[in-house]
Amino acid sequence: MSQTIQNLIQKMCDKDEAEAYIYADKLAQIGTEEVIQALLEVLKSEDIEDAYLAARALSRMENNQEALVSLFEVIHEKKNQNRNGGFVQMLEGFDLTESFVDILRIYLFGNFKASQLAKDFLDSVEFEITPRVLKKAEKHWNHFKNNVNPNSDDFEIKKAEVEEIFQEINELLNGG
């Protein structure tokens, strides 16, 4: 790794650095494959603050699509379930057109902030949806239905939303 990138990563991860986000933004401007790989290591690290900064940098890069899979992995990790809203927010810097199932999973299983952000994506992104994608989404919906209190207000709200989404998708897929 080049010395410049190493120094920027170090400064971004320095707990005494009051404006570490500036270094994240500088890394995003460089935006090379080398930077992406270095940031992915930080994203997957145990330090949540450093991981948020890495996600910020990755979301601001031009050619960042290869990092999306890793970001979803971090978001879906059980240990991050109650603190993944910041990661979900960073998804706005990525092309999500092929991420319907992941976004639906976040909507269903995420904390309040993550779920609300995912709902915004569900409402605004034009996803590429095939019958196979729909089948995977329905699998996650069934898992959610079987593992949540069906009498909760949250369940009823999500049930109405998801059933409407699935109905619209079925109409589109079936031509009408």
Side-chain angles (χ1 to χ4, degrees), residues 73-137:
E73 287 172 3
V74 170
I75 289 168
H76 293 312
E77 275 186 53
K78 198 125 189 96
K79 70 179 182 182
N80 293 328
Q81 189 170 6
N82 293 318
R83 58 184 188 180
N84 62 7
F87 292 123
V88 175
Q89 193 169 358
M90 297 306 159
L91 289 172
E92 64 193 24
F94 292 86
D95 175 1
L96 300 176
T97 56
E98 296 189 12
S99 303
F100 176 75
V101 174
D102 283 304
I103 299 297
L104 182 69
R105 281 180 64 194
I106 296 166
Y107 174 64
L108 294 173
F109 301 105
N111 63 29
F112 182 78
K113 179 181 179 180
S115 185
Q116 293 305 305
L117 290 165
K119 178 66 174 100
D120 290 344
F121 291 131
L122 288 170
D123 290 342
S124 63
V125 173
E126 288 190 34
F127 294 101
E128 295 288 329
I129 299 180
T130 63
R132 183 168 184 253
V133 168
L134 180 59
K135 193 173 188 100
K136 283 183 178 181

Side-chain angles (χ1 to χ4, degrees), residues 123-156:
D123 290 342
S124 63
V125 173
E126 288 190 34
F127 294 101
E128 295 288 329
I129 299 180
T130 63
R132 183 168 184 253
V133 168
L134 180 59
K135 193 173 188 100
K136 283 183 178 181
E138 288 171 337
K139 183 183 118 195
H140 289 292
W141 170 237
N142 288 326
H143 178 72
F144 178 80
K145 286 192 303 191
N146 293 325
N147 290 292
V148 126
N149 177 0
N151 299 319
S152 71
D153 290 340
D154 187 47
F155 176 79
E156 287 303 318

